């Protein structure tokens, strides 16, 4: 973008405050979702799904995500770990760290929470549950800070080290699940002992209907959104994170301790991913099994990107992905369309949101014209 | 994203502090490795027998019989020496070599310990090494093409998966060669899409890559559960068999390894040679590298930066598509959901490990293939080490190597940055 355009844009923003924000925050995502759904329908058409079934599947998608109390409960349950891990990744992006390792950090956090749960099952709920949540966060933080330390001490790039740590974590979980003191007695397959009831995140709505899975992890998630927002935008440490992400050179000249910031940022990101793992095992699964992270760590990358690495954005992006996840399950049951379609729709939404130029090219009438095709780079 | 963090100024003669510290950490790791070798592998007894020939070979050579324990101690002593030297001298020219040698010695000691009092087909393992390295090598080569023109390609995973899927589908419909060609074309299409997103629409390169991975995973999983589940004949492609080259294929050890393989292995070797020549000995390659190092200067000299990026990223996609077809047309002929299983990311690591060079990428891929096949073969020998730890070893080794090497490897200067023409 040349200087001229920037100046014009600044003037426009001053002249019509809110208009640009409105387009970026509301119109673009809205068009993105619509365009993704249309392309999803075309995909279904291409694979021989009848038009009537397509209509039924989108209706099921809507019903399964927000159509009933049960649907909302499922949406929130699916969104919580995505938001938690997404917050961690967003914080990393802000600090200039591309952490792909949420998957491994979720696994480590979940394992720690499970082990803590069944090892100290004699403790009362008020002590045990927080202890398990904290140990999950601590394990995630420790696992992520390995990558942070390697980056700070040797310059090994975190993309590579976190991918490798993911691979290692899968094997480590497989190994741990077969240890005699972890494996469930009487079982030959790798599966852990169950989390005792006094370590579980309590279900919130079971007094209405025992099938409602929404649990107290949602409060943990909301708290995390607030804390991360405060940390990033209201504290010195958060400023240092953002400064070293925006310009490592400038941050160093300003006297910030680059190595320490990298390790701390990775540890915080890992803690949030570890909390997501603890949230899953203590609130939903009740035990650990191989690969229980179920790709949440990778979906969380998309959530963080979609939320533009802003805590509030991550909250909404996570809710959207959670809704698609919950609705997708309903869609599979009602219309017999594979839930994998949701993956396609999610990817398309991110494309359209991350490349505003593309949306503007596809839907020219939705936008103010003088922008003449020059979006934000 | 630049993948080398701090780049030592080539003009500076003194070894800087960061590099000294890195060398000291590496040296420490090597000394620890030596201690590990003595402590864990020190209980080996008997001779280790490595079979070099197979029963039906034309020229048969004898087994390699090694007294396990003495050689293990020698390996440990050498590793300790290399580590101590690195620790005290702090870097210098030999640090990379020392690290490589130390890790190789550790692998040798491990092999001897696992095989002691037993026999083991070395040739079979090396053949499997080459086969298993190929998708990683091809993915890494694709990444080299993209990163040399300063486009970071996280989407290798998705391109491999797309190639595997297309190979299975089109292979079932129009035969093996048609399937292979379609896989290459579809890989190229995804390369073109990546180029369009990052060059024309200036999307963040990492985001674009993540999106392509998500999209391909979603699309292929969707079709495989929606369509393949019912119409199995669409997912039943012919497989390219291994072809034995005359004479060369009969050489002991090397023959089965290099000259009795399928089209993907030969193709990968040819492509590595051709792309090395192209990148470093032709005008086009020089221009491509110029675009990766300093796009504005290249533009000033009349090189079309956008066009160069489009072409190379598309070619990279085609190579990845070819590598992806290995998973279906090169092994089982059937597509399974997410069957690439993260190999695209390992390919990315192999590219960095191989210093953005085709030959380096191939060698790094062979290291991964070796540990992959080693782990599989050793399951037969029943070592007391849990198999999960064997499976972890290559990833731990990658971390050690990347931590020890990366300061010396250098990414193309403009890597990951969009170029905006005035």
């Amino acid at each position: 973008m040349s200087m001229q355009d920037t100046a014009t844009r600044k003037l426009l923003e001053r002249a019509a405050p809110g208009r640009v924000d409105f387009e970026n925050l509301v119109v673009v995502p809205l068009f993105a979702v619509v365009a993704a759904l249309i392309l999803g329908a075309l995909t279904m058409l291409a694979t021989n799904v009848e038009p009537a079934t397509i209509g039924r599947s989108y209706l099921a998608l809507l019903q399964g995500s927000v159509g009933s109390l049960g649907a909302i409960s499922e949406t929130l349950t699916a969104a919580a770990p995505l938001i938690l891990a997404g917050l961690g990744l967003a914080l990393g992006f802000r600090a200039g760290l591309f952490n792909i390792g949420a998957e491994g950090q979720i696994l480590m956090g979940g394992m720690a929470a499970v082990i803590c749960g069944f090892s100290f099952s004699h403790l009362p709920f008020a002590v045990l549950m927080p202890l398990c949540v904290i140990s999950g966060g601590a394990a995630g933080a420790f696992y992520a800070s390995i990558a942070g330390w390697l980056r700070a001490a040797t310059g090994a790039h975190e993309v590579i080290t976190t991918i490798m740590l993911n691979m290692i974590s899968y094997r480590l979980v497989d190994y741990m699940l077969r240890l005699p003191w972890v494996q469930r007695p009487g079982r030959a397959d790798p599966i852990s002992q169950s989390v005792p009831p006094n370590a579980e995140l309590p279900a919130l709505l079971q007094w209405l209907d025992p099938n409602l899975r929404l649990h107290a992890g949602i409060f943990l998630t909301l708290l995390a959104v607030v804390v991360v927002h405060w940390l990033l935008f209201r504290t010195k440490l958060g400023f240092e994170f953002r400064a070293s992400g925006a310009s490592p050179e400038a941050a160093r000249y300003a006297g910030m301790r680059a190595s320490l910031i990298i390790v701390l940022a990775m540890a915080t990101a890992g803690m949030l991913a570890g909390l997501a793992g603890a949230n899953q095992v203590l609130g939903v699964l009740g035990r650990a099994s191989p690969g229980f992270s179920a790709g949440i760590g990778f979906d969380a990358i998309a959530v963080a990107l979609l939320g533009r690495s802003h805590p509030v954005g991550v909250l909404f992006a996570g809710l959207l992905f959670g809704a698609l996840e919950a609705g997708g399950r309903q869609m599979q049951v009602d219309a017999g369309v594979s839930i994998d379609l949701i993956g396609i729709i999610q990817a398309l939404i991110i494309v359209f949101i991350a490349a505003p130029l593309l949306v503007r090219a596809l839907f020219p009438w939705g936008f103010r014209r003088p922008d003449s095709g020059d979006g934000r780079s | 994203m630049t993948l080398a963090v701090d780049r030592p100024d080539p003009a500076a003669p003194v070894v800087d502090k960061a590099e000294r510290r890195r060398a000291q950490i590496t040296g420490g790791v090597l000394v620890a490795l030596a201690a590990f070798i003595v402590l864990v592998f020190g209980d080996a007894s008997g001779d280790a027998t490595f079979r070099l020939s197979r029963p039906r070979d034309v020229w048969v050579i004898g087994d390699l019989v090694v007294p396990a324990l003495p050689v293990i101690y020698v390996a440990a002593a050498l590793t300790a020496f290399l580590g101590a030297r690195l620790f005290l001298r702090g870097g210098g020219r030999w640090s990379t070599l020392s690290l490589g040698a130390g890790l190789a010695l550790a692998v040798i000691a491990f092999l001897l310990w696992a095989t002691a009092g037993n026999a083991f087909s070395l040739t079979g393992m090396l053949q499997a090494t080459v086969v298993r390295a190929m998708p990683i090598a091809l993915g890494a080569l694709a990444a080299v093409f993209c990163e040399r023109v300063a486009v970071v390609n996280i989407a290798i995973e998705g391109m491999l998966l797309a190639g595997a899927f297309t190979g299975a589908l089109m292979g079932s419909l129009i035969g093996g060669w048609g399937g292979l060609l379609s896989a290459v074309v579809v890989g190229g299409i995804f390369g073109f899409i990546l180029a369009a997103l990052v060059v024309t629409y200036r999307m963040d390169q990492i985001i674009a890559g993540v999106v392509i991975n998500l999209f391909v995973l979603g699309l292929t999983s969707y079709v495989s559960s929606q369509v393949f589940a019912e119409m199995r004949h669409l997912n039943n492609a012919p497989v390219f068999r291994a072809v034995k080259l005359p004479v060369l294929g009969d050489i002991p050890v090397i023959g089965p390894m290099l000259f009795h393989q399928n089209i993907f292995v030969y193709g990968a070797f040819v492509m590595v040679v051709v792309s090395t020549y192209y990148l470093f000995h032709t005008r086009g390659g020089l221009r491509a590298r110029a675009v990766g190092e300093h796009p504005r200067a290249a533009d000033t000299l009349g090189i079309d930066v956008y066009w160069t990026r489009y072409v190379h990223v598309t070619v990279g996609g085609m190579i990845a598509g070819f590598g992806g077809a290995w998973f279906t047309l090169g092994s089982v002929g059937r597509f399974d959901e997410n069957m690439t299983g993260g190999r695209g990311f390992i390919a990315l690591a192999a590219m960095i490990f191989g210093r953005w060079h085709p030959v380096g990428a191939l060698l790094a891929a062979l290291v991964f293939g070796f540990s992959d096949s080693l782990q599989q073969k050793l399951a037969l020998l029943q070592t007391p080490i849990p198999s999960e730890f064997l499976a972890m070893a290559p990833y731990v080794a990658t971390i050690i190597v990347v931590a020890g090497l990366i300061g010396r490897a250098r990414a193309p200067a403009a890597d990951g940055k969009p170029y905006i023409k005035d």
Side-chain angles (χ1 to χ4, degrees):
Chain A
M1 187 186 309
S2 71
M3 292 292 288
Q4 182 87 48
D5 287 339
T6 318
T8 322
R9 192 174 182 84
K10 285 252 166 67
L11 269 175
L12 268 170
E13 268 175 49
R14 202 171 298 165
R19 178 72 212 242
V20 176
D21 285 348
F22 177 74
E23 283 191 358
N24 281 335
L25 292 179
V26 180
V27 180
V28 169
L30 208 63
F31 275 110
V33 172
V34 171
L37 287 175
I38 293 172
L39 285 171
L42 290 178
T43 313
M44 284 195 269
L45 267 183
T47 51
N48 254 340
V49 177
E50 286 160 25
T53 315
I54 296 176
R56 207 144 40 88
S57 59
Y58 278 163
L59 197 64
L61 186 63
L62 195 68
Q63 280 176 344
S65 53
V66 293
S68 65
L69 188 62
I72 293 174
S73 154
E74 282 302 301
T75 294
L76 293 176
T77 310
L82 290 172
I83 297 171
L84 278 171
L87 283 172
L89 297 177
L91 191 138
F93 297 161
R94 288 269 173 178
L97 294 166
F98 198 76
N99 169 13
I100 303 197
E103 190 78 358
Q105 294 145 21
I106 289 172
L107 284 173
M108 290 297 117
M111 283 308 292
V114 166
I115 290 172
C116 165
F118 66 69
S119 306
F120 303 108
S121 56
H122 56 278
L123 291 173
F125 168 79
V127 179
L128 184 58
M129 193 274 286
L131 187 68
C132 290
V133 171
I134 291 169
S135 57
F142 169 74
Y143 203 61
S145 57
I146 297 174
W149 177 78
L150 283 168
R151 161 79 187 257
T154 70
H157 199 278
E158 73 278 0
V159 169
I160 300 305
T161 51
T162 53
I163 290 171
M164 295 302 141
L165 286 170
N166 280 348
M167 298 294 187
I168 292 170
S169 73
Y170 297 135
R171 272 72 181 188
L172 208 56
V173 167
D174 288 353
Y175 170 71
M176 284 160 81
L177 289 176
R178 286 189 187 281
L179 290 174
W181 55 277
V182 176
Q183 195 171 21
R184 183 175 299 183
R187 290 287 287 263
D189 53 331
I191 192 162
S192 77
Q193 299 181 38
S194 295
V195 173
N198 49 337
E200 280 175 5
L201 287 161
L204 297 177
L205 298 172
Q206 273 179 351
W207 51 276
L208 281 173
D209 178 350
N211 289 329
L212 296 178
R213 294 198 296 170
L214 185 64
H215 58 86
I218 196 73
F219 296 129
L220 182 68
T221 308
L222 292 175
L223 183 70
V225 173
V226 175
V227 169
V228 170
H229 192 281
W230 172 79
L231 176 72
L232 266 179
F233 301 109
R234 294 282 182 276
T235 65
K236 181 164 165 273
L237 186 64
F239 176 72
E240 289 182 330
F241 284 170
R242 287 183 292 133
S244 47
S247 172
E249 292 285 297
R252 214 182 53 218
Y253 282 117
M256 295 177 187
R257 295 145 302 172
S259 308
L260 187 67
I261 290 170
I262 288 171
V263 176
L264 282 179
M266 279 305 279
T268 318
M271 183 193 76
L272 287 158
L275 288 178
N279 174 78
Q280 283 307 88
V281 294
L282 300 177
V284 182
L285 303 167
R287 57 184 170 68
S289 52
F292 65 85
S293 51
I296 290 170
F298 294 115
D299 287 344
I301 298 175
V303 167
L305 294 174
L306 191 55
R308 306 228 164 107
S309 303
H310 190 285
V312 179
V314 170
L315 174 66
F316 284 108
L319 287 173
L320 176 65
F321 270 47
L324 285 169
E325 186 89 31
R329 285 197 290 264
Q330 183 83 22
M331 187 180 81
Q332 186 158 16
V333 174
D334 281 8
V337 172
S338 164
I339 192 171
D340 294 315
L341 184 74
I342 298 303
I344 305 178
I345 293 177
Q346 286 174 338
L348 289 170
I349 291 177
I350 305 168
V351 178
F352 292 130
I353 290 188
L357 287 181
L358 201 61
V359 186
R360 279 160 206 260
L362 288 175
F363 299 107
W365 61 87
F367 300 91
R368 185 173 32 80
R369 271 200 295 154
D371 202 47
S372 68
D374 188 80
R376 296 150 329 102
S377 52
Chain B
M1 176 178 72
T2 44
L3 288 164
V5 183
D6 38 5
R7 300 192 184 103
D9 182 3
V14 281
V15 183
D16 64 28
K17 229 171 76 180
E19 192 171 341
R20 175 173 292 269
R21 190 155 56 133
R22 192 157 43 231
Q24 283 178 347
I25 292 175
T26 316
V29 167
L30 282 181
V31 173
L33 199 62
F36 180 81
I37 292 173
V38 173
L39 286 177
V40 179
F41 304 149
D43 63 346
S45 60
D47 290 345
T49 308
F50 296 102
R51 276 201 284 275
L52 298 179
S53 292
R54 280 146 344 143
R56 278 177 295 146
D57 281 357
V58 179
W59 297 314
V60 177
I61 56 173
D63 293 346
L64 183 68
V65 181
V66 183
L69 201 56
V71 182
I72 288 175
Y73 276 114
V74 170
L78 276 174
T79 310
F81 168 73
L82 289 171
R85 191 170 166 281
L86 208 55
F87 190 84
L88 297 174
R89 295 270 302 269
R93 282 193 305 153
W94 298 98
S95 61
T96 309
L97 207 63
S98 304
L99 180 58
L103 288 176
L105 285 167
V107 170
I108 290 172
F110 170 72
L111 259 181
L112 287 169
W113 171 74
T115 337
N118 224 324
F120 174 70
S121 168
L122 194 64
T123 308
M125 191 187 68
L126 292 176
Q127 190 178 24
T129 295
V130 174
V131 172
R132 285 164 177 273
M134 281 313 117
I136 299 169
L138 287 163
L141 186 60
V144 169
F145 264 82
C146 297
E147 301 234 349
R148 280 288 175 178
V149 293
V151 173
V152 172
N153 191 347
I154 294 275
I156 293 292
E157 174 79 3
M159 291 173 181
L160 287 176
L161 196 60
F165 174 81
T166 315
L169 177 66
M170 297 311 285
S172 311
L173 288 174
I174 54 176
W177 287 102
L180 185 59
L181 194 68
S182 315
V184 171
V185 170
V186 167
I189 290 174
F190 277 105
F192 182 82
I193 292 175
L194 177 68
L197 287 176
V198 303
V199 175
T200 304
Y201 293 108
R202 266 176 253 148
M203 197 166 151
D204 184 281
Q205 299 187 349
I206 304 282
I207 301 183
V210 170
V211 159
I212 290 182
N213 287 340
L214 269 180
F215 178 77
V216 174
L217 180 62
L219 190 65
T220 55
S221 305
Y222 170 72
V223 176
S224 104
S225 57
Q226 191 77 21
V227 180
F228 286 177
E230 286 165 28
M231 289 180 262
R232 289 179 192 284
H233 63 277
L234 289 179
N235 192 10
N236 187 19
V239 173
F240 285 101
R241 303 263 165 237
V243 179
K244 190 173 183 178
L245 296 189
V247 187
L248 289 175
D250 290 327
I251 303 172
V253 188
I254 295 174
M257 224 173 110
L258 298 179
F259 303 113
H260 188 182
Q261 298 280 16
N262 65 16
I263 170 141
F264 292 96
V265 176
Y266 298 132
F269 279 104
V270 169
M271 269 187 240
V272 166
V273 171
V274 170
S275 46
T276 305
Y277 178 77
Y278 167 74
L279 279 173
F280 300 101
H281 299 280
T282 66
R283 185 187 295 196
L286 180 66
R287 288 182 171 174
R289 286 184 292 134
V291 166
E293 295 292 340
H294 200 315
R296 192 159 303 281
D299 194 11
T300 312
L301 292 171
I303 301 171
D304 189 338
V305 175
Y306 290 176
W307 167 251
T308 312
R309 287 192 177 170
Y310 262 101
V311 169
H312 286 81
V313 176
T314 306
V315 170
M318 290 164 83
I319 296 172
F322 178 76
W326 176 91
F327 290 94
T328 48
L329 297 175
S331 53
V332 288
R334 195 186 64 245
F335 180 81
D336 293 318
E337 276 181 36
N338 198 13
M339 73 187 306
T340 49
R343 285 207 190 56
F345 292 115
I346 295 178
L348 215 58
M351 175 207 65
I352 293 174
F353 201 166
R355 301 175 178 202
W356 289 268
H357 192 290
V359 176
L362 176 66
L363 294 177
L366 285 170
V367 172
F368 283 108
F370 178 76
S371 61
D372 206 1
S373 70
L374 183 68
Q375 179 219 334
Q376 198 197 25
K377 301 276 169 184
L378 283 180
L380 304 174
L381 288 176
Q382 295 188 333
T383 56
I385 294 186
S387 67
E388 289 91 355
F389 284 98
L390 291 179
M392 268 180 225
Y395 309 122
V396 176
T398 308
I399 291 179
I400 295 175
V401 169
V402 171
L405 279 185
I406 197 72
R408 324 184 119 254
R410 200 177 75 74
D415 211 5
K417 297 182 191 122
Y419 176 65
I420 300 157
K421 211 171 163 156
D422 284 328

